[in-house]
Structures are given as structure tokens and as C-alpha cells.
């Protein structure tokens, strides 16, 4: 039996999923996930990077482990939380490259 005063080794948090509309025009098309952020203001800043086609933000429950790994609840793949707009821009740009293009540029995935 575990002691009752033992702290949880994880934390349930809300993360913001920043999505972009694929049609880039009227916003009626499908959406794709760009990045995740744990700060709502940062999520708004990332979503509004492109003033013509702002993204949408969806708050999602997640589990944050002590080692920094974060998993959306009901998902088994870890997500990476952005820490700045610049980092988000870089990761969005890198996501557009194919593995072959990354290899040619010497970028480790």
C-alpha cells in the first residue's frame, strides 16, 4: 500500500492545440494541427502569426509527466509544447520538409 501523502508523479493540464485552416481562404475547409502550447497567450500569438488566415485554438486535456513528456488524454503519441512564437515558426517550417529534404539539409529529426 502506498503512503497517502505521496505526490502524484504526473499532472493533468490543459494545453492549447493551434490549428490552421487548409483552404487558406474563407476558413470553411478542413483544419490541421500546427503545434501545441501550454500558455493561452502564446497560443493566441501563434494562431495570429498570419493575419490573413488566423488559426483556431482548441483547449485539450493532457497529462504532463515529471520528465517533461506531455500526452493528450486518449492519445498515445507524445506532443511537444512550444515555448515561444519563434520556436513555433521554426517547427511549423520544419514540418513542411520531407525526410529527404531534412537529410539533404543536414537537419536531424
Amino acid at each position: 500500500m502506498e503512503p497517502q501523502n505521496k505526490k502524484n508523479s504526473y499532472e493533468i493540464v490543459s494545453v492549447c492545440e493551434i490549428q490552421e485552416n487548409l483552404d487558406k481562404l474563407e476558413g470553411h475547409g478542413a483544419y490541421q494541427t500546427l503545434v501545441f502550447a501550454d500558455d493561452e497567450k502564446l497560443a493566441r500569438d501563434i494562431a495570429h502569426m498570419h493575419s490573413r488566415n488566423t488559426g483556431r485554438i482548441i483547449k485539450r486535456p493532457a497529462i504532463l509527466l515529471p520528465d517533461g513528456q506531455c500526452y493528450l488524454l486518449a492519445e498515445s503519441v507524445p506532443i511537444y509544447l512550444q515555448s515561444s512564437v519563434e520556436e513555433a515558426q521554426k517547427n511549423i517550417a520544419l514540418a513542411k520538409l520531407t525526410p529527404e529534404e531534412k537529410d539533404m539539409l543536414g537537419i536531424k529529426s
Side-chain angles (χ1 to χ4, degrees):
M1 189 164 131
E2 292 186 34
Q4 291 182 357
N5 62 354
K6 183 179 178 186
K7 287 188 171 187
N8 289 338
S9 58
Y10 61 89
E11 185 179 353
I12 302 297
V13 297
S14 288
V15 297
C16 297
E17 179 178 1
I18 299 101
Q19 296 184 336
E20 174 184 49
N21 191 281
L22 293 175
D23 73 9
K24 310 267 191 224
L25 299 171
E26 298 177 15
H28 299 295
Y31 282 85
Q32 74 176 1
T33 299
L34 291 175
V35 292
F36 293 89
D38 62 351
D39 177 79
E40 218 169 324
K41 182 189 178 321
L42 175 60
R44 281 193 305 274
D45 290 345
I46 294 169
H48 291 93
M49 283 189 310
H50 305 289
S51 59
R52 198 182 80 178
N53 181 31
T54 60
R56 71 177 178 186
I57 300 167
I58 301 172
K59 285 186 114 177
R60 307 265 313 256
I63 185 167
L64 180 62
L65 301 177
D67 65 0
Q69 287 285 331
C70 190
Y71 293 85
L72 293 176
L73 292 180
E75 299 283 337
S76 61
V77 179
I79 59 172
Y80 180 73
L81 298 175
Q82 305 301 304
S83 59
S84 69
V85 173
E86 293 79 18
E87 182 183 16
Q89 288 174 320
K90 177 184 169 188
N91 288 328
I92 291 167
L94 288 173
K96 295 175 183 177
L97 298 175
T98 66
E100 293 81 17
E101 291 169 330
K102 289 178 186 177
D103 189 46
M104 286 179 9
L105 294 170
I107 300 171
K108 303 262 184 195
S109 303

